[in-house]
Amino acid sequence: MCGIIGCSGNFDAVPVLLRGLEKLEYRGYDSAGIAILCENKIQVVKCKGRLANLREKVDEGMFRGCGTGIGHTRWATHGEPSDVNSHPHISRSGMFCVVHNGIIENYSMIRENLIENGYEFVSQTDTEVIAHLIEFNFNGDVVRALQKTVNQLEGSYALGVVYSGTPGKIYSARKDSPLVLGQTASGCYIASDIPAILEYTRDIFIAGDGETACIGRESMEFYNSMGMEIKKIPIHVDWDAGSAEKEGYEHFMLKEIHEEPDAIRRTLANRQFDKMEIGRPGRIHIIACGTAYHAGVVAKYVIEETSGIPVEVSYASEFRYRKSIAGPGDLAIIISQSGETIDTLFAMRKAKEMKSRTLAIVNVVGSSIAREADDVFYTRAGPEIAVASTKAYSTQLAAMFMLAKKLAGNMMRSEELELIPGMIDMVLSQKEKVSRFASELHGGKSIFFIGRGLDYALSMEGSLKLKEISYIHSEAYAGGELKHGTIALIEEGTPVICCMTQPHIFQKMVGNMREVQARGARVLVITTSSFREQAERLTDMVVEIPDVDPLFSPLTAVTPMQLFAYYCAVLKGCDVDKPRNLAKSVTVE
Ligand code: AGP
């Protein structure tokens, strides 16, 4: 999604803004720009394409000594990627300049009203209306004009604003889209997320919905939605700066897969569930998108198996618009790595309107979903930079196992959970074997994942991982369902990944494996040590995971799937960390 950065201090703003935008690149973007406020003049440089294009256009010498500015990386939602649609956007008089992350849903009406008042528009964006509207509302007090403006906006926004009449000042406002602020001895900063300013400060202010702020070289003022000045307490972020860098791995994704053992240890050490009064809900609704949804499907099997509570798993975008059965006495579990996915945020709000208790399983501290849920459990995966989620998924699973234990009490044994991190390390030691299998199979037109029970739920995630980073078509199928149609697609050489970690249905899966092999499939099996020998008699591609309570095997069996997807993507020369068309946090519907 879009990223915004802003700074005001005793330094040159241009290098600070460009470096901040680099840290935001992973959010996915198609254009970038900056605006520098020099004395009483705003100068904008922006263009379509990657940051390198912007750097070429910026003459840093021009802005020497100018310490205030805002910057933006744009992921197009209104208007195609182009120079003119890039941010920042400037008002009619050139005195106000805005960067924005989010969507203004009533921008057409505002645009029409402004045109009737003599304003002209140069872009197709929703954001441009904000720049003109601030000017339209301005009567000498920028904070008041900004507050009046945002009160007229419907939709989501994180805004950075500069006004040529107040050198050294940056104004911000936030609703639904994330915004953080920081202050150091040399200046103040605003940004869409923490890694963009982490090298300057660990004490981070999280902007709340409806809040505005005015920052200067040495000052920060915060205002609530009523326009009253408020005091805010920063959170202390203990991520080390390196954890947002690659640390020697070729890609963030490979680094983050290797971080899974430590990330799960941190999750298991989190005691937030202990303090939650959850009781025994009559029904559980798990609501999420993408990979987080797949964690929810695994959780469904686990919770129903251990506590017998009925669980319905919904795509957030579906839950929002269909008649839902959620109601009082139900528990709505909201899973989201970023905590900013707009589909999930709005679906949670619907669950709250229906009087369900909401529990958020989130990775980003202080994110919108975390702040609005009745309860929150942080997965503590650390910053996940690669667009394709890996360690966040694993920690979501770990969190759901902990929740299942809280719900099931003595009906569930969970001591083996502590063994999982060490077991993942053992699985990671087989990465060369997985790489070899990827080199044999990555040429497949389609690659199928099949499994039964928990293995089927897990296969959904393996299939998505492969699709989103290697662009190879893939489907996950229940092993017993393939023969009801899709097996027609299996032909000579079709790769099929068989996930076979569940002892009680292992032999059934052997049958399904034989079905596809009889039609020419190349089978790779992921199974446990107990079944390795039997599997090796059936195929020459076997990845072994350590024996563990079958309930917890998704935590170790997912790692080979993630590695398989990673190596296929590398072999195909794909942009592993920033796959085409995708964004790390989808803050548009
Ligand atoms: C993950 O690999 C995907 N890029 C994507 O499906 C993601 O899981 C989904 O957009 C939900 O994001 P969230 O967990 O931040 O809400």
Side-chain angles (χ1 to χ4, degrees):
M1 275 338 292
C2 298
I4 69 174
I5 183 85
C7 64
S8 180
N10 305 315
F11 42 61
D12 287 346
V14 170
V16 173
L17 294 174
L18 292 175
R19 180 158 176 71
L21 292 179
E22 274 173 18
K23 299 283 186 185
L24 294 170
E25 278 192 290
Y26 75 88
R27 298 165 64 87
Y29 71 105
D30 48 56
S31 53
I34 60 172
I36 303 297
L37 175 53
C38 266
E39 273 90 43
N40 292 74
K41 189 166 170 31
I42 297 173
Q43 300 194 59
V44 174
V45 184
K46 62 182 187 177
C47 62
K48 179 182 174 184
R50 309 301 281 184
L51 270 188
N53 300 12
L54 178 65
R55 280 188 184 281
E56 277 174 19
K57 294 185 75 170
V58 173
D59 168 4
E60 294 200 24
M62 263 172 67
F63 301 115
R64 193 80 63 217
C66 300
T68 302
I70 50 179
H72 188 265
T73 51
R74 179 175 184 249
W75 195 70
T77 56
H78 294 75
E80 84 286 351
S82 66
D83 290 358
V84 74
N85 285 336
S86 309
H87 301 207
H89 288 281
I90 203 150
S91 68
R92 177 173 66 178
S93 65
M95 297 175 77
F96 291 91
C97 188
V98 176
V99 289
H100 166 226
N101 175 29
I103 284 193
I104 305 306
E105 304 208 353
N106 62 337
Y107 85 98
S108 300
M109 181 200 69
I110 296 171
R111 184 184 174 112
E112 290 316 311
N113 291 344
L114 287 167
I115 290 171
E116 282 164 20
N117 282 279
Y119 284 79
E120 293 177 2
F121 285 78
V122 295
S123 81
Q124 305 147 292
T125 67
D126 53 340
T127 303
E128 191 183 352
V129 302
I130 301 173
H132 295 314
L133 188 58
I134 294 173
E135 181 166 304
F136 181 74
N137 288 330
F138 181 64
N139 62 4
D141 182 324
V142 182
V143 173
R144 289 266 168 269
L146 180 56
Q147 287 166 345
K148 184 174 179 185
T149 297
V150 296
N151 288 336
Q152 295 168 281
L153 302 179
E154 289 169 19
S156 55
Y157 52 81
L159 298 178
V161 181
V162 290
Y163 167 53
S164 57
T166 50
K169 295 287 185 192
I170 295 178
Y171 305 88
S172 69
R174 179 265 162 117
K175 176 177 169 292
D176 295 340
S177 294
L179 187 71
V180 298
L181 304 95
Q183 181 171 23
T184 68
S186 54
C188 294
Y189 306 85
I190 65 168
S192 289
D193 70 7
I194 293 169
I197 58 174
L198 188 60
E199 66 182 276
Y200 307 115
T201 177
R202 294 181 182 285
D203 295 317
I204 305 289
F205 295 88
I206 308 281
D209 265 1
E211 290 180 4
T212 53
C214 170
I215 72 170
R217 295 187 183 87
E218 285 121 24
S219 63
M220 293 173 96
E221 292 142 24
F222 299 100
Y223 303 89
N224 65 16
S225 56
M226 310 297 284
M228 293 165 59
E229 191 166 352
I230 56 174
K231 279 274 168 268
K232 285 184 76 74
I233 309 294
I235 62 169
H236 184 77
V237 173
D238 53 10
W239 300 340
D240 49 272
S243 68
E245 300 302 333
K246 290 181 194 166
E247 287 183 344
Y249 288 95
E250 190 182 350
H251 298 101
F252 278 114
M253 183 177 173
L254 188 61
K255 171 174 173 278
E256 288 155 7
I257 292 171
H258 282 78
E259 287 177 339
E260 286 172 358
D262 283 344
I264 290 173
R265 284 189 188 96
R266 291 195 298 269
T267 306
L268 297 176
N270 183 350
R271 309 268 41 97
Q272 284 179 299
F273 281 135
D274 298 353
K275 300 188 282 282
M276 286 182 206
E277 293 300 319
I278 296 176
R280 183 176 171 83
R283 221 175 359 214
I284 291 176
H285 304 272
I286 299 178
I287 304 164
C289 301
T291 288
Y293 170 86
H294 294 149
V297 180
V298 171
K300 168 186 170 65
Y301 282 85
V302 171
I303 292 171
E304 289 183 344
E305 169 82 22
T306 54
S307 62
I309 300 171
V311 179
E312 180 186 86
V313 193
S314 301
Y315 288 118
S317 54
E318 288 296 303
F319 182 85
R320 252 194 101 190
Y321 293 106
R322 74 159 193 256
K323 168 130 181 59
S324 171
I325 54 172
D330 289 359
L331 176 64
I333 302 173
I334 316 298
I335 307 176
S336 174
Q337 186 285 129
S338 63
E340 301 299 348
T341 300
I342 206 87
D343 285 329
T344 309
L345 176 64
F346 286 154
M348 175 177 72
R349 291 177 180 171
K350 176 178 177 181
K352 290 185 80 166
E353 285 163 17
M354 304 180 81
K355 308 289 183 241
S356 291
R357 183 170 187 76
T358 53
L359 163 58
I361 308 285
V362 174
N363 191 40
V364 177
V365 172
S367 56
S368 304
I369 290 171
R371 295 160 63 87
E372 293 191 22
D374 297 315
D375 289 302
V376 63
F377 179 93
Y378 286 120
T379 49
R380 295 185 178 174
E384 187 173 67
I385 306 302
V387 166
S389 188
T390 51
K391 63 175 181 176
Y393 174 79
S394 300
T395 57
Q396 288 162 358
L397 290 187
M400 296 308 284
F401 281 119
M402 295 167 76
L403 176 59
K405 173 62 181 172
K406 185 173 178 71
L407 292 165
N410 297 330
M411 292 190 290
M412 175 180 170
R413 294 176 58 90
S414 63
E415 53 278 0
E416 288 196 22
L417 265 180
E418 302 298 328
L419 305 176
I420 292 296
M423 291 180 174
I424 294 176
D425 278 326
M426 290 161 65
V427 174
L428 287 168
S429 67
Q430 297 181 69
K431 63 186 174 189
E432 281 72 26
K433 179 193 281 191
V434 178
S435 173
R436 210 168 51 247
F437 294 158
S439 61
E440 291 193 40
L441 301 179
H442 74 283
K445 189 170 65 175
S446 288
I447 297 182
F448 292 86
F449 289 73
I450 63 172
R452 288 175 177 248
L454 276 173
D455 289 338
Y456 166 51
L458 185 65
S459 294
M460 293 176 185
E461 177 55 14
S463 177
L464 174 64
K465 257 327 68 61
L466 182 68
K467 281 185 284 190
E468 65 178 334
I469 63 170
S470 72
Y471 315 145
I472 298 170
H473 174 257
S474 175
E475 288 188 56
Y477 246 84
E481 180 61 17
L482 205 61
K483 57 183 175 294
H484 296 284
T486 300
I487 200 166
L489 298 182
I490 305 297
E491 53 195 16
E492 192 58 37
T494 302
V496 177
I497 316 296
C498 294
C499 194
M500 303 165 71
T501 71
Q502 303 297 305
H504 69 293
I505 41 179
F506 181 85
Q507 296 310 329
K508 289 292 178 193
M509 272 303 295
V510 169
N512 300 139
M513 186 174 141
R514 290 186 183 287
E515 281 166 10
V516 295
Q517 284 180 314
R519 287 153 178 87
R522 295 285 313 282
V523 168
L524 186 166
V525 169
I526 298 171
T527 191
T528 56
S529 305
S530 299
F531 291 101
R532 176 179 56 80
E533 281 183 19
Q534 188 174 341
E536 285 174 343
R537 289 195 290 273
L538 299 166
T539 179
D540 58 353
M541 288 189 273
V542 176
V543 177
E544 173 188 355
I545 61 173
D547 286 324
V548 72
D549 182 331
L551 200 61
F552 303 139
S553 60
L555 273 167
T556 49
V558 70
T559 303
M561 293 183 180
Q562 293 165 339
L563 288 171
F564 179 76
Y566 171 78
Y567 289 119
C568 286
V570 169
L571 285 162
K572 291 195 67 186
C574 297
D575 186 345
V576 173
D577 287 334
K578 295 195 282 287
R580 68 187 181 199
N581 307 342
L582 298 184
K584 183 61 185 172
S585 177
V586 183
T587 52
V588 291
E589 283 192 78

